[in-house]
Amino acid sequence: MRTIHSRKRTAALGAAVTAVLALALTACSGDGGGTKSAGPADNAAKSAASAGASQQSGSDGSSDSSGTATTGGSAEKVTSSTGTSKSGATKTGTTTGGNTSDSYAYKHPCTSENLSVRVYAREGSATQQVIEVNNTGANACGLSYFPRVSLGSASAQDHSGDVTPLVPGGLGGAPAYPVKPKTAAIAVIDLNPSGADGALTWINELNVLADGDHMPNAEQLNFPLGPDVKVLDPKLGLYSGTIADAVSSMKQADSKS
């Protein structure tokens, strides 16, 4: 009896062990349990997503050292007027391209809307001022041979006593001074060429009309001068392409404008 009972117990234990092993094998081979490692398809998807993110962040611009996105290309620099007009601020154009020939400029006077004007002291000179007129329009245009310039007091009610400079005489040739787009016409005025004593000290303003032949007086610009400016027998040169040429022309001034 003991032998039969022992055999039945051993058989029961064997069946239980077999059942446990079967369950363990099912869990290892089934899709519903365990932890799956990333296969080739998963790795490829992750790599593609990473590459896409990198391309998206770098396609529209590059980043500088501070992390700020920047874009390619260059910015165009346009000189703005530093003078003031009695009739209001001057306008500047923003278009590029167009007709750039001298013959076109001779037939089309410049307008204040397509010009910017600035005045600044010539480097290395205590008495000379540079008058720079920039064509900000799309086409070439023509200016008078020299700007119309006068010197006076900003607080004066009557400007009939303003001082006008000498200019070169015997002018002739082309009907106007042509200025191509994005190019400057330059004139130089020497407020006190001789540097002699007895200069006028009440003058503190330089008045500039870029084209005295075609522009109304209302478009004149007024530029303040320093408090220590001394004016005596000023001379103004013709429009030129460089400061050096403008200075050379100024030295030939011998006639009243």
Side-chain angles (χ1 to χ4, degrees), residues 62-200:
S62 59
S63 295
D64 57 20
S65 59
S66 62
T68 302
T70 58
T71 57
S74 58
E76 181 178 278
K77 181 179 180 182
V78 179
T79 304
S80 61
S81 172
T82 54
T84 57
S85 171
K86 300 301 183 184
S87 61
T90 58
K91 299 177 181 179
T92 58
T94 57
T95 56
T96 58
N99 197 317
T100 62
S101 67
D102 288 354
S103 59
Y104 183 90
Y106 295 149
K107 297 177 182 178
H108 296 83
C110 297
T111 60
S112 60
E113 288 78 9
N114 290 320
L115 294 178
S116 67
V117 183
R118 70 183 188 122
V119 172
Y120 53 92
R122 182 195 169 205
E123 186 177 356
S125 174
T127 61
Q128 295 177 9
Q129 297 282 323
V130 178
I131 301 170
E132 182 182 299
V133 180
N134 289 269
N135 180 359
T136 61
N139 303 303
C141 62
L143 291 169
S144 49
Y145 292 138
F146 52 86
R148 182 184 294 173
V149 173
S150 64
L151 297 148
S153 171
S155 60
Q157 297 297 319
D158 180 10
H159 288 275
S160 60
D162 285 2
V163 176
T164 57
L166 296 176
V167 296
L171 302 178
Y177 182 83
V179 191
K180 297 184 185 300
K182 312 309 175 193
T183 303
I186 297 172
V188 170
I189 182 172
D190 196 327
L191 305 178
N192 187 3
S194 65
D197 294 333
L200 303 173

Side-chain angles (χ1 to χ4, degrees), residues 151-242:
L151 297 148
S153 171
S155 60
Q157 297 297 319
D158 180 10
H159 288 275
S160 60
D162 285 2
V163 176
T164 57
L166 296 176
V167 296
L171 302 178
Y177 182 83
V179 191
K180 297 184 185 300
K182 312 309 175 193
T183 303
I186 297 172
V188 170
I189 182 172
D190 196 327
L191 305 178
N192 187 3
S194 65
D197 294 333
L200 303 173
T201 58
W202 53 272
I203 293 176
N204 60 11
E205 186 175 63
L206 175 65
N207 308 307
V208 178
L209 186 61
D211 187 337
D213 292 342
H214 300 96
M215 293 180 178
N217 291 333
E219 295 182 1
Q220 175 180 274
L221 297 175
N222 314 106
F223 296 86
L225 297 171
D228 299 326
V229 168
K230 298 178 181 179
V231 177
L232 181 64
D233 300 327
K235 290 184 176 183
L236 172 69
L238 306 178
Y239 278 129
S240 302
T242 66

